[in-house]
Amino acid sequence: DIQMTQSPSSLPASIGDSVTITCRTSQSISNFLNWYQQRPGKAPKVLIYAASNLQTGVPSRFSGSGSGTDFTLTISSLQLEDFATYYCQQSYSRPPWTFGQGTKVVIK
Amino acid sequence: QVQLQESGPGLVKPSQTLSLTCSVSGDSLSRHIYYWSWIRQPAGKGLEWIGHISGSGGTNYNPSLKSRVTMSVDTSKNQFSLKLSSVTAADTAVYYCASELSVGVIVIFDYWGQGTLVTVSS
């Protein structure tokens, strides 16, 4: 299975900050990487697919980049509703699909 | 707009079989661009993909759970189901059903149910 490592696990930030979350994979996955946001008590919601494509309806302050084994999710100008947990997910080649362990963005 | 809703017992005894159903509205299970997945999340932890099934019944399971998992689909009811046998406390989690969309070769979980908590306890 492809292992996913996210960092940091917790990210203190303030409203208006720009924050970056990193996801590293155990093998090259081209751009087969998605990012999800999960608010407490809710199901995850896809933000970015294929590493850098913004899902319809997602604010433009979210952006993704990377390929191969190293990926980033950036939130520019953090809003109150962005304090949540973020997961990366790979879909390279064949199942099982795997997720990172999550990064929780918390209020500083 | 696709909507998914999980249903099933919230409490299962150790060694028994966990059974959940996901009802889908707003789309047909038979659409070829979709697989239908189960994903679980223990309290305070990350997400684990359990497996998926196509509208025609083709399956893939996570190797870590494969020996205990069975998925099925009922296109007449637009539902798909999960059975997980020989459960232990480690299987206590929120279980989500989700649609698995292929955008070219990229797989996205685009619609999710609200999740249902299943507790394994005697």
Side-chain angles (χ1 to χ4, degrees), chain A residues 1 31-34 36 38 41-44 46 49-50 55 87 89 91 95-97 99-101, chain B residues 37 39 41 45-49 52 60-63 96 100 103 105-110 112-114:
Chain A
D1 299 359
N31 69 333
F32 289 57
L33 185 105
N34 308 319
Y36 297 82
Q38 186 178 34
K42 300 295 186 183
V46 60
Y49 66 93
Q55 176 74 338
Y87 293 94
Q89 173 248 323
S91 63
W97 314 135
F99 294 86
Q101 79 276 22
Chain B
S37 274
I39 295 162
Q41 185 174 36
K45 297 190 178 180
L47 299 158
E48 181 180 31
W49 182 77
H52 65 204
N60 276 294
Y61 302 142
N62 193 320
Y96 294 100
E100 191 181 301
V103 179
V105 294
I106 297 290
V107 170
I108 303 168
F109 299 109
D110 59 342
W112 297 64
Q114 65 186 24

mmCIF file of all heavy atoms in Angstrom, chain A residues 1 31-34 36 38 41-44 46 49-50 55 87 89 91 95-97 99-101, chain B residues 37 39 41 45-49 52 60-63 96 100 103 105-110 112-114:
data_model
loop_
_atom_site.group_PDB
_atom_site.id
_atom_site.type_symbol
_atom_site.label_atom_id
_atom_site.label_comp_id
_atom_site.label_asym_id
_atom_site.label_seq_id
_atom_site.Cartn_x
_atom_site.Cartn_y
_atom_site.Cartn_z
ATOM 1 N N ASP A 1 0.837 -1.192 0.000
ATOM 2 C CA ASP A 1 0.000 0.000 0.000
ATOM 3 C C ASP A 1 0.880 1.253 0.000
ATOM 4 O O ASP A 1 2.000 1.251 0.498
ATOM 5 C CB ASP A 1 -0.884 0.052 1.250
ATOM 6 C CG ASP A 1 -1.831 -1.126 1.358
ATOM 7 O OD1 ASP A 1 -1.822 -1.980 0.445
ATOM 8 O OD2 ASP A 1 -2.566 -1.187 2.371
ATOM 9 N N ASN A 31 0.197 12.888 -10.233
ATOM 10 C CA ASN A 31 -0.666 13.912 -9.618
ATOM 11 C C ASN A 31 -1.956 13.302 -9.071
ATOM 12 O O ASN A 31 -2.977 13.973 -8.941
ATOM 13 C CB ASN A 31 -1.006 15.000 -10.624
ATOM 14 C CG ASN A 31 -1.922 14.510 -11.730
ATOM 15 O OD1 ASN A 31 -1.919 13.317 -12.062
ATOM 16 N ND2 ASN A 31 -2.711 15.404 -12.286
ATOM 17 N N PHE A 32 -1.936 12.019 -8.723
ATOM 18 C CA PHE A 32 -3.136 11.307 -8.287
ATOM 19 C C PHE A 32 -3.424 11.581 -6.815
ATOM 20 O O PHE A 32 -3.498 10.662 -5.984
ATOM 21 C CB PHE A 32 -2.977 9.806 -8.528
ATOM 22 C CG PHE A 32 -3.022 9.410 -9.972
ATOM 23 C CD1 PHE A 32 -2.143 9.942 -10.905
ATOM 24 C CD2 PHE A 32 -3.936 8.470 -10.408
ATOM 25 C CE1 PHE A 32 -2.185 9.567 -12.238
ATOM 26 C CE2 PHE A 32 -3.977 8.074 -11.756
ATOM 27 C CZ PHE A 32 -3.093 8.631 -12.655
ATOM 28 N N LEU A 33 -3.586 12.859 -6.487
ATOM 29 C CA LEU A 33 -3.750 13.239 -5.091
ATOM 30 C C LEU A 33 -4.879 14.242 -4.934
ATOM 31 O O LEU A 33 -4.992 15.198 -5.709
ATOM 32 C CB LEU A 33 -2.456 13.866 -4.547
ATOM 33 C CG LEU A 33 -2.584 14.141 -3.052
ATOM 34 C CD1 LEU A 33 -1.798 13.129 -2.234
ATOM 35 C CD2 LEU A 33 -2.239 15.541 -2.681
ATOM 36 N N ASN A 34 -5.698 14.015 -3.917
ATOM 37 C CA ASN A 34 -6.814 14.901 -3.599
ATOM 38 C C ASN A 34 -6.674 15.417 -2.174
ATOM 39 O O ASN A 34 -6.019 14.792 -1.336
ATOM 40 C CB ASN A 34 -8.138 14.149 -3.729
ATOM 41 C CG ASN A 34 -8.284 13.458 -5.066
ATOM 42 O OD1 ASN A 34 -7.932 13.998 -6.119
ATOM 43 N ND2 ASN A 34 -8.776 12.230 -5.042
ATOM 44 N N TYR A 36 -9.060 16.958 1.155
ATOM 45 C CA TYR A 36 -10.393 17.046 1.740
ATOM 46 C C TYR A 36 -10.333 17.903 2.999
ATOM 47 O O TYR A 36 -9.326 17.929 3.703
ATOM 48 C CB TYR A 36 -10.917 15.655 2.128
ATOM 49 C CG TYR A 36 -11.094 14.725 0.951
ATOM 50 C CD1 TYR A 36 -10.015 14.033 0.427
ATOM 51 C CD2 TYR A 36 -12.339 14.542 0.355
ATOM 52 C CE1 TYR A 36 -10.161 13.198 -0.664
ATOM 53 C CE2 TYR A 36 -12.500 13.698 -0.729
ATOM 54 C CZ TYR A 36 -11.405 13.033 -1.233
ATOM 55 O OH TYR A 36 -11.553 12.206 -2.313
ATOM 56 N N GLN A 38 -12.493 18.385 6.627
ATOM 57 C CA GLN A 38 -13.503 17.795 7.496
ATOM 58 C C GLN A 38 -13.721 18.695 8.709
ATOM 59 O O GLN A 38 -12.797 18.931 9.491
ATOM 60 C CB GLN A 38 -13.103 16.389 7.956
ATOM 61 C CG GLN A 38 -14.200 15.695 8.747
ATOM 62 C CD GLN A 38 -13.835 14.283 9.157
ATOM 63 O OE1 GLN A 38 -12.686 13.984 9.440
ATOM 64 N NE2 GLN A 38 -14.842 13.402 9.211
ATOM 65 N N GLY A 41 -17.742 16.606 13.353
ATOM 66 C CA GLY A 41 -19.049 15.974 13.252
ATOM 67 C C GLY A 41 -19.605 15.875 11.850
ATOM 68 O O GLY A 41 -20.762 15.454 11.674
ATOM 69 N N LYS A 42 -18.810 16.241 10.857
ATOM 70 C CA LYS A 42 -19.273 16.231 9.466
ATOM 71 C C LYS A 42 -18.437 15.283 8.620
ATOM 72 O O LYS A 42 -17.326 14.905 8.992
ATOM 73 C CB LYS A 42 -19.183 17.646 8.864
ATOM 74 C CG LYS A 42 -20.020 18.675 9.603
ATOM 75 C CD LYS A 42 -21.490 18.387 9.491
ATOM 76 C CE LYS A 42 -22.330 19.489 10.105
ATOM 77 N NZ LYS A 42 -23.779 19.173 10.054
ATOM 78 N N ALA A 43 -18.984 14.925 7.464
ATOM 79 C CA ALA A 43 -18.225 14.114 6.518
ATOM 80 C C ALA A 43 -17.182 14.982 5.808
ATOM 81 O O ALA A 43 -17.349 16.198 5.691
ATOM 82 C CB ALA A 43 -19.175 13.511 5.488
ATOM 83 N N PRO A 44 -16.116 14.372 5.346
ATOM 84 C CA PRO A 44 -15.131 15.118 4.554
ATOM 85 C C PRO A 44 -15.753 15.682 3.272
ATOM 86 O O PRO A 44 -16.740 15.154 2.762
ATOM 87 C CB PRO A 44 -14.058 14.072 4.230
ATOM 88 C CG PRO A 44 -14.187 13.056 5.318
ATOM 89 C CD PRO A 44 -15.659 12.998 5.605
ATOM 90 N N VAL A 46 -14.439 17.284 -0.590
ATOM 91 C CA VAL A 46 -13.278 17.428 -1.467
ATOM 92 C C VAL A 46 -13.045 18.892 -1.813
ATOM 93 O O VAL A 46 -13.973 19.634 -2.137
ATOM 94 C CB VAL A 46 -13.413 16.548 -2.737
ATOM 95 C CG1 VAL A 46 -14.635 16.923 -3.553
ATOM 96 C CG2 VAL A 46 -12.135 16.593 -3.558
ATOM 97 N N TYR A 49 -8.645 18.290 -6.424
ATOM 98 C CA TYR A 49 -8.429 16.971 -7.004
ATOM 99 C C TYR A 49 -7.310 17.048 -8.033
ATOM 100 O O TYR A 49 -6.998 18.132 -8.553
ATOM 101 C CB TYR A 49 -9.720 16.413 -7.615
ATOM 102 C CG TYR A 49 -10.239 17.183 -8.815
ATOM 103 C CD1 TYR A 49 -9.894 16.809 -10.111
ATOM 104 C CD2 TYR A 49 -11.086 18.279 -8.646
ATOM 105 C CE1 TYR A 49 -10.363 17.504 -11.204
ATOM 106 C CE2 TYR A 49 -11.569 18.984 -9.739
ATOM 107 C CZ TYR A 49 -11.199 18.594 -11.014
ATOM 108 O OH TYR A 49 -11.676 19.289 -12.101
ATOM 109 N N ALA A 50 -6.699 15.927 -8.290
ATOM 110 C CA ALA A 50 -5.552 15.848 -9.207
ATOM 111 C C ALA A 50 -4.499 16.889 -8.852
ATOM 112 O O ALA A 50 -3.966 17.588 -9.726
ATOM 113 C CB ALA A 50 -6.021 16.000 -10.650
ATOM 114 N N GLN A 55 -12.084 22.019 -6.774
ATOM 115 C CA GLN A 55 -13.426 21.449 -6.941
ATOM 116 C C GLN A 55 -14.434 22.592 -7.085
ATOM 117 O O GLN A 55 -14.292 23.655 -6.456
ATOM 118 C CB GLN A 55 -13.769 20.559 -5.744
ATOM 119 C CG GLN A 55 -15.164 19.977 -5.737
ATOM 120 C CD GLN A 55 -15.366 18.849 -6.749
ATOM 121 O OE1 GLN A 55 -14.640 18.724 -7.732
ATOM 122 N NE2 GLN A 55 -16.374 18.023 -6.500
ATOM 123 N N TYR A 87 -7.215 16.385 5.017
ATOM 124 C CA TYR A 87 -6.648 15.076 4.678
ATOM 125 C C TYR A 87 -6.242 15.056 3.205
ATOM 126 O O TYR A 87 -6.971 15.560 2.343
ATOM 127 C CB TYR A 87 -7.666 13.961 4.885
ATOM 128 C CG TYR A 87 -8.063 13.723 6.320
ATOM 129 C CD1 TYR A 87 -9.195 14.342 6.851
ATOM 130 C CD2 TYR A 87 -7.333 12.872 7.132
ATOM 131 C CE1 TYR A 87 -9.567 14.123 8.171
ATOM 132 C CE2 TYR A 87 -7.701 12.640 8.453
ATOM 133 C CZ TYR A 87 -8.814 13.275 8.960
ATOM 134 O OH TYR A 87 -9.182 13.049 10.264
ATOM 135 N N GLN A 89 -5.373 12.332 0.029
ATOM 136 C CA GLN A 89 -5.813 10.992 -0.375
ATOM 137 C C GLN A 89 -5.232 10.675 -1.741
ATOM 138 O O GLN A 89 -5.275 11.518 -2.634
ATOM 139 C CB GLN A 89 -7.346 10.941 -0.427
ATOM 140 C CG GLN A 89 -7.925 9.653 -1.003
ATOM 141 C CD GLN A 89 -8.602 9.852 -2.346
ATOM 142 O OE1 GLN A 89 -9.246 10.869 -2.589
ATOM 143 N NE2 GLN A 89 -8.456 8.878 -3.241
ATOM 144 N N SER A 91 -4.956 8.093 -5.209
ATOM 145 C CA SER A 91 -5.696 7.114 -6.012
ATOM 146 C C SER A 91 -4.828 6.663 -7.180
ATOM 147 O O SER A 91 -5.293 6.571 -8.322
ATOM 148 C CB SER A 91 -7.015 7.691 -6.509
ATOM 149 O OG SER A 91 -6.773 8.794 -7.380
ATOM 150 N N PRO A 95 -6.507 0.159 -6.136
ATOM 151 C CA PRO A 95 -6.791 0.203 -4.687
ATOM 152 C C PRO A 95 -5.801 -0.676 -3.905
ATOM 153 O O PRO A 95 -5.212 -1.593 -4.487
ATOM 154 C CB PRO A 95 -8.207 -0.383 -4.609
ATOM 155 C CG PRO A 95 -8.797 -0.208 -5.969
ATOM 156 C CD PRO A 95 -7.638 -0.351 -6.912
ATOM 157 N N PRO A 96 -5.625 -0.457 -2.596
ATOM 158 C CA PRO A 96 -6.470 0.374 -1.744
ATOM 159 C C PRO A 96 -6.113 1.860 -1.818
ATOM 160 O O PRO A 96 -4.946 2.212 -1.884
ATOM 161 C CB PRO A 96 -6.183 -0.178 -0.351
ATOM 162 C CG PRO A 96 -4.763 -0.675 -0.439
ATOM 163 C CD PRO A 96 -4.616 -1.210 -1.833
ATOM 164 N N TRP A 97 -7.160 2.696 -1.817
ATOM 165 C CA TRP A 97 -6.938 4.130 -1.706
ATOM 166 C C TRP A 97 -6.586 4.436 -0.261
ATOM 167 O O TRP A 97 -7.127 3.838 0.662
ATOM 168 C CB TRP A 97 -8.189 4.896 -2.118
ATOM 169 C CG TRP A 97 -8.844 4.439 -3.388
ATOM 170 C CD1 TRP A 97 -10.174 4.235 -3.583
ATOM 171 C CD2 TRP A 97 -8.210 4.111 -4.648
ATOM 172 N NE1 TRP A 97 -10.403 3.809 -4.866
ATOM 173 C CE2 TRP A 97 -9.220 3.734 -5.547
ATOM 174 C CE3 TRP A 97 -6.885 4.121 -5.102
ATOM 175 C CZ2 TRP A 97 -8.963 3.361 -6.873
ATOM 176 C CZ3 TRP A 97 -6.626 3.739 -6.420
ATOM 177 C CH2 TRP A 97 -7.650 3.365 -7.286
ATOM 178 N N PHE A 99 -5.390 7.495 2.815
ATOM 179 C CA PHE A 99 -5.454 8.867 3.285
ATOM 180 C C PHE A 99 -4.254 9.182 4.173
ATOM 181 O O PHE A 99 -3.706 8.283 4.834
ATOM 182 C CB PHE A 99 -6.724 9.086 4.117
ATOM 183 C CG PHE A 99 -8.013 8.974 3.356
ATOM 184 C CD1 PHE A 99 -8.617 7.738 3.161
ATOM 185 C CD2 PHE A 99 -8.646 10.100 2.846
ATOM 186 C CE1 PHE A 99 -9.824 7.626 2.464
ATOM 187 C CE2 PHE A 99 -9.844 10.007 2.160
ATOM 188 C CZ PHE A 99 -10.429 8.769 1.969
ATOM 189 N N GLY A 100 -3.901 10.459 4.224
ATOM 190 C CA GLY A 100 -2.975 10.906 5.241
ATOM 191 C C GLY A 100 -3.639 10.885 6.609
ATOM 192 O O GLY A 100 -4.851 10.695 6.720
ATOM 193 N N GLN A 101 -2.858 11.105 7.630
ATOM 194 C CA GLN A 101 -3.378 11.003 8.997
ATOM 195 C C GLN A 101 -4.104 12.264 9.435
ATOM 196 O O GLN A 101 -4.721 12.289 10.501
ATOM 197 C CB GLN A 101 -2.245 10.682 9.984
ATOM 198 C CG GLN A 101 -1.382 11.870 10.380
ATOM 199 C CD GLN A 101 -0.260 12.174 9.406
ATOM 200 O OE1 GLN A 101 -0.299 11.796 8.226
ATOM 201 N NE2 GLN A 101 0.759 12.872 9.887
ATOM 202 N N SER B 37 -18.296 3.414 -2.232
ATOM 203 C CA SER B 37 -17.303 3.044 -1.232
ATOM 204 C C SER B 37 -17.827 3.081 0.198
ATOM 205 O O SER B 37 -18.799 3.777 0.503
ATOM 206 C CB SER B 37 -16.119 4.037 -1.298
ATOM 207 O OG SER B 37 -15.175 3.671 -2.253
ATOM 208 N N ILE B 39 -16.018 3.883 3.962
ATOM 209 C CA ILE B 39 -14.849 4.469 4.607
ATOM 210 C C ILE B 39 -15.172 4.596 6.084
ATOM 211 O O ILE B 39 -16.315 4.920 6.435
ATOM 212 C CB ILE B 39 -14.547 5.862 4.002
ATOM 213 C CG1 ILE B 39 -14.153 5.724 2.520
ATOM 214 C CG2 ILE B 39 -13.444 6.591 4.778
ATOM 215 C CD1 ILE B 39 -14.253 7.013 1.723
ATOM 216 N N GLN B 41 -13.876 5.819 10.240
ATOM 217 C CA GLN B 41 -13.042 6.761 10.985
ATOM 218 C C GLN B 41 -13.233 6.522 12.485
ATOM 219 O O GLN B 41 -14.251 6.940 13.057
ATOM 220 C CB GLN B 41 -13.403 8.198 10.621
ATOM 221 C CG GLN B 41 -12.519 9.240 11.263
ATOM 222 C CD GLN B 41 -12.830 10.632 10.747
ATOM 223 O OE1 GLN B 41 -13.980 10.986 10.479
ATOM 224 N NE2 GLN B 41 -11.778 11.452 10.579
ATOM 225 N N LYS B 45 -9.418 9.873 15.006
ATOM 226 C CA LYS B 45 -8.379 9.326 14.117
ATOM 227 C C LYS B 45 -8.695 9.630 12.657
ATOM 228 O O LYS B 45 -9.642 10.328 12.331
ATOM 229 C CB LYS B 45 -8.236 7.821 14.362
ATOM 230 C CG LYS B 45 -7.764 7.492 15.780
ATOM 231 C CD LYS B 45 -7.394 6.038 15.916
ATOM 232 C CE LYS B 45 -6.877 5.754 17.324
ATOM 233 N NZ LYS B 45 -6.508 4.322 17.492
ATOM 234 N N GLY B 46 -7.855 9.092 11.788
ATOM 235 C CA GLY B 46 -7.977 9.368 10.368
ATOM 236 C C GLY B 46 -8.950 8.446 9.656
ATOM 237 O O GLY B 46 -9.657 7.641 10.263
ATOM 238 N N LEU B 47 -8.949 8.574 8.338
ATOM 239 C CA LEU B 47 -9.902 7.863 7.484
ATOM 240 C C LEU B 47 -9.278 6.601 6.911
ATOM 241 O O LEU B 47 -8.121 6.599 6.484
ATOM 242 C CB LEU B 47 -10.309 8.789 6.335
ATOM 243 C CG LEU B 47 -10.988 10.088 6.769
ATOM 244 C CD1 LEU B 47 -10.864 11.154 5.693
ATOM 245 C CD2 LEU B 47 -12.459 9.827 7.087
ATOM 246 N N GLU B 48 -10.054 5.534 6.894
ATOM 247 C CA GLU B 48 -9.607 4.259 6.332
ATOM 248 C C GLU B 48 -10.605 3.798 5.278
ATOM 249 O O GLU B 48 -11.786 3.602 5.571
ATOM 250 C CB GLU B 48 -9.474 3.197 7.429
ATOM 251 C CG GLU B 48 -8.997 1.854 6.882
ATOM 252 C CD GLU B 48 -8.862 0.783 7.957
ATOM 253 O OE1 GLU B 48 -9.628 0.821 8.948
ATOM 254 O OE2 GLU B 48 -8.001 -0.094 7.812
ATOM 255 N N TRP B 49 -10.133 3.612 4.073
ATOM 256 C CA TRP B 49 -10.967 3.088 2.992
ATOM 257 C C TRP B 49 -11.149 1.588 3.200
ATOM 258 O O TRP B 49 -10.172 0.836 3.297
ATOM 259 C CB TRP B 49 -10.299 3.378 1.654
ATOM 260 C CG TRP B 49 -11.044 2.937 0.448
ATOM 261 C CD1 TRP B 49 -12.126 3.537 -0.132
ATOM 262 C CD2 TRP B 49 -10.761 1.775 -0.354
ATOM 263 N NE1 TRP B 49 -12.528 2.828 -1.244
ATOM 264 C CE2 TRP B 49 -11.707 1.753 -1.411
ATOM 265 C CE3 TRP B 49 -9.810 0.768 -0.299
ATOM 266 C CZ2 TRP B 49 -11.719 0.761 -2.381
ATOM 267 C CZ3 TRP B 49 -9.809 -0.218 -1.258
ATOM 268 C CH2 TRP B 49 -10.766 -0.219 -2.302
ATOM 269 N N HIS B 52 -14.838 -0.931 -2.138
ATOM 270 C CA HIS B 52 -15.885 -0.369 -2.982
ATOM 271 C C HIS B 52 -16.541 -1.436 -3.838
ATOM 272 O O HIS B 52 -16.019 -2.551 -3.974
ATOM 273 C CB HIS B 52 -15.361 0.788 -3.843
ATOM 274 C CG HIS B 52 -14.329 0.404 -4.879
ATOM 275 N ND1 HIS B 52 -13.431 1.298 -5.393
ATOM 276 C CD2 HIS B 52 -14.065 -0.755 -5.513
ATOM 277 C CE1 HIS B 52 -12.665 0.709 -6.293
ATOM 278 N NE2 HIS B 52 -13.023 -0.549 -6.375
ATOM 279 N N ASN B 60 -13.625 -4.313 -4.780
ATOM 280 C CA ASN B 60 -12.238 -4.286 -4.335
ATOM 281 C C ASN B 60 -12.278 -3.989 -2.850
ATOM 282 O O ASN B 60 -13.014 -3.098 -2.422
ATOM 283 C CB ASN B 60 -11.435 -3.181 -5.040
ATOM 284 C CG ASN B 60 -10.918 -3.606 -6.382
ATOM 285 O OD1 ASN B 60 -10.080 -4.494 -6.501
ATOM 286 N ND2 ASN B 60 -11.436 -2.985 -7.430
ATOM 287 N N TYR B 61 -11.508 -4.729 -2.083
ATOM 288 C CA TYR B 61 -11.469 -4.541 -0.646
ATOM 289 C C TYR B 61 -10.058 -4.174 -0.201
ATOM 290 O O TYR B 61 -9.066 -4.598 -0.802
ATOM 291 C CB TYR B 61 -11.898 -5.811 0.088
ATOM 292 C CG TYR B 61 -13.282 -6.325 -0.252
ATOM 293 C CD1 TYR B 61 -13.522 -7.688 -0.357
ATOM 294 C CD2 TYR B 61 -14.350 -5.453 -0.466
ATOM 295 C CE1 TYR B 61 -14.801 -8.174 -0.654
ATOM 296 C CE2 TYR B 61 -15.612 -5.921 -0.777
ATOM 297 C CZ TYR B 61 -15.831 -7.284 -0.873
ATOM 298 O OH TYR B 61 -17.081 -7.757 -1.179
ATOM 299 N N ASN B 62 -10.004 -3.426 0.911
ATOM 300 C CA ASN B 62 -8.712 -3.140 1.508
ATOM 301 C C ASN B 62 -8.104 -4.457 2.016
ATOM 302 O O ASN B 62 -8.771 -5.194 2.757
ATOM 303 C CB ASN B 62 -8.893 -2.155 2.668
ATOM 304 C CG ASN B 62 -7.570 -1.568 3.151
ATOM 305 O OD1 ASN B 62 -6.570 -2.257 3.237
ATOM 306 N ND2 ASN B 62 -7.590 -0.297 3.466
ATOM 307 N N PRO B 63 -6.874 -4.778 1.624
ATOM 308 C CA PRO B 63 -6.274 -6.044 2.069
ATOM 309 C C PRO B 63 -6.259 -6.209 3.583
ATOM 310 O O PRO B 63 -6.320 -7.335 4.078
ATOM 311 C CB PRO B 63 -4.842 -5.975 1.516
ATOM 312 C CG PRO B 63 -4.956 -5.088 0.330
ATOM 313 C CD PRO B 63 -6.001 -4.066 0.685
ATOM 314 N N TYR B 96 -18.763 5.716 6.971
ATOM 315 C CA TYR B 96 -19.323 6.546 5.909
ATOM 316 C C TYR B 96 -19.498 5.720 4.639
ATOM 317 O O TYR B 96 -18.626 4.905 4.297
ATOM 318 C CB TYR B 96 -18.383 7.700 5.561
ATOM 319 C CG TYR B 96 -18.164 8.736 6.635
ATOM 320 C CD1 TYR B 96 -17.027 8.716 7.429
ATOM 321 C CD2 TYR B 96 -19.083 9.767 6.829
ATOM 322 C CE1 TYR B 96 -16.796 9.679 8.402
ATOM 323 C CE2 TYR B 96 -18.868 10.743 7.799
ATOM 324 C CZ TYR B 96 -17.724 10.687 8.576
ATOM 325 O OH TYR B 96 -17.511 11.661 9.528
ATOM 326 N N GLU B 100 -17.677 7.257 -5.418
ATOM 327 C CA GLU B 100 -16.294 7.300 -5.867
ATOM 328 C C GLU B 100 -16.309 7.610 -7.358
ATOM 329 O O GLU B 100 -16.580 6.753 -8.178
ATOM 330 C CB GLU B 100 -15.658 5.944 -5.580
ATOM 331 C CG GLU B 100 -14.174 5.873 -5.727
ATOM 332 C CD GLU B 100 -13.664 4.468 -5.439
ATOM 333 O OE1 GLU B 100 -13.879 3.953 -4.338
ATOM 334 O OE2 GLU B 100 -13.038 3.894 -6.360
ATOM 335 N N VAL B 103 -12.566 10.849 -12.498
ATOM 336 C CA VAL B 103 -12.383 11.997 -13.394
ATOM 337 C C VAL B 103 -11.135 11.680 -14.210
ATOM 338 O O VAL B 103 -10.007 11.906 -13.768
ATOM 339 C CB VAL B 103 -12.211 13.310 -12.602
ATOM 340 C CG1 VAL B 103 -11.993 14.483 -13.564
ATOM 341 C CG2 VAL B 103 -13.414 13.551 -11.706
ATOM 342 N N VAL B 105 -8.510 9.420 -14.849
ATOM 343 C CA VAL B 105 -7.983 8.323 -14.038
ATOM 344 C C VAL B 105 -7.874 8.701 -12.568
ATOM 345 O O VAL B 105 -7.437 7.899 -11.751
ATOM 346 C CB VAL B 105 -6.616 7.853 -14.563
ATOM 347 C CG1 VAL B 105 -6.764 7.218 -15.936
ATOM 348 C CG2 VAL B 105 -5.623 9.006 -14.600
ATOM 349 N N ILE B 106 -8.308 9.908 -12.225
ATOM 350 C CA ILE B 106 -8.282 10.342 -10.830
ATOM 351 C C ILE B 106 -9.568 9.875 -10.153
ATOM 352 O O ILE B 106 -10.654 9.979 -10.728
ATOM 353 C CB ILE B 106 -8.186 11.872 -10.731
ATOM 354 C CG1 ILE B 106 -6.880 12.354 -11.353
ATOM 355 C CG2 ILE B 106 -8.322 12.348 -9.296
ATOM 356 C CD1 ILE B 106 -5.649 11.996 -10.580
ATOM 357 N N VAL B 107 -9.448 9.362 -8.931
ATOM 358 C CA VAL B 107 -10.600 8.902 -8.169
ATOM 359 C C VAL B 107 -10.873 9.898 -7.051
ATOM 360 O O VAL B 107 -9.985 10.200 -6.246
ATOM 361 C CB VAL B 107 -10.348 7.501 -7.585
ATOM 362 C CG1 VAL B 107 -11.430 7.132 -6.589
ATOM 363 C CG2 VAL B 107 -10.273 6.472 -8.697
ATOM 364 N N ILE B 108 -12.113 10.394 -7.001
ATOM 365 C CA ILE B 108 -12.508 11.393 -6.007
ATOM 366 C C ILE B 108 -13.706 10.863 -5.246
ATOM 367 O O ILE B 108 -14.650 10.339 -5.839
ATOM 368 C CB ILE B 108 -12.925 12.700 -6.685
ATOM 369 C CG1 ILE B 108 -11.817 13.257 -7.577
ATOM 370 C CG2 ILE B 108 -13.342 13.744 -5.653
ATOM 371 C CD1 ILE B 108 -12.300 14.372 -8.459
ATOM 372 N N PHE B 109 -13.702 11.028 -3.936
ATOM 373 C CA PHE B 109 -14.907 10.757 -3.143
ATOM 374 C C PHE B 109 -15.717 12.054 -3.123
ATOM 375 O O PHE B 109 -15.412 12.965 -2.354
ATOM 376 C CB PHE B 109 -14.519 10.311 -1.734
ATOM 377 C CG PHE B 109 -13.714 9.051 -1.727
ATOM 378 C CD1 PHE B 109 -12.368 9.072 -1.397
ATOM 379 C CD2 PHE B 109 -14.287 7.835 -2.054
ATOM 380 C CE1 PHE B 109 -11.609 7.919 -1.394
ATOM 381 C CE2 PHE B 109 -13.536 6.675 -2.063
ATOM 382 C CZ PHE B 109 -12.194 6.713 -1.739
ATOM 383 N N ASP B 110 -16.700 12.152 -4.006
ATOM 384 C CA ASP B 110 -17.353 13.448 -4.202
ATOM 385 C C ASP B 110 -18.619 13.640 -3.373
ATOM 386 O O ASP B 110 -18.948 14.772 -3.022
ATOM 387 C CB ASP B 110 -17.612 13.716 -5.690
ATOM 388 C CG ASP B 110 -18.482 12.672 -6.353
ATOM 389 O OD1 ASP B 110 -18.623 11.553 -5.806
ATOM 390 O OD2 ASP B 110 -19.030 12.963 -7.432
ATOM 391 N N TRP B 112 -20.763 12.154 0.118
ATOM 392 C CA TRP B 112 -20.645 11.333 1.316
ATOM 393 C C TRP B 112 -21.974 11.292 2.064
ATOM 394 O O TRP B 112 -22.735 12.260 2.041
ATOM 395 C CB TRP B 112 -19.610 11.934 2.267
ATOM 396 C CG TRP B 112 -18.206 12.002 1.752
ATOM 397 C CD1 TRP B 112 -17.739 12.737 0.680
ATOM 398 C CD2 TRP B 112 -17.062 11.333 2.305
ATOM 399 N NE1 TRP B 112 -16.381 12.549 0.538
ATOM 400 C CE2 TRP B 112 -15.939 11.711 1.522
ATOM 401 C CE3 TRP B 112 -16.870 10.460 3.379
ATOM 402 C CZ2 TRP B 112 -14.652 11.232 1.778
ATOM 403 C CZ3 TRP B 112 -15.589 9.996 3.638
ATOM 404 C CH2 TRP B 112 -14.499 10.372 2.841
ATOM 405 N N GLY B 113 -22.219 10.186 2.748
ATOM 406 C CA GLY B 113 -23.286 10.158 3.720
ATOM 407 C C GLY B 113 -22.875 10.934 4.955
ATOM 408 O O GLY B 113 -21.726 11.388 5.080
ATOM 409 N N GLN B 114 -23.791 11.080 5.887
ATOM 410 C CA GLN B 114 -23.505 11.839 7.112
ATOM 411 C C GLN B 114 -22.657 11.028 8.087
ATOM 412 O O GLN B 114 -22.075 11.583 9.025
ATOM 413 C CB GLN B 114 -24.802 12.268 7.789
ATOM 414 C CG GLN B 114 -25.645 11.107 8.291
ATOM 415 C CD GLN B 114 -27.003 11.560 8.831
ATOM 416 O OE1 GLN B 114 -27.506 12.610 8.458
ATOM 417 N NE2 GLN B 114 -27.592 10.749 9.703
#
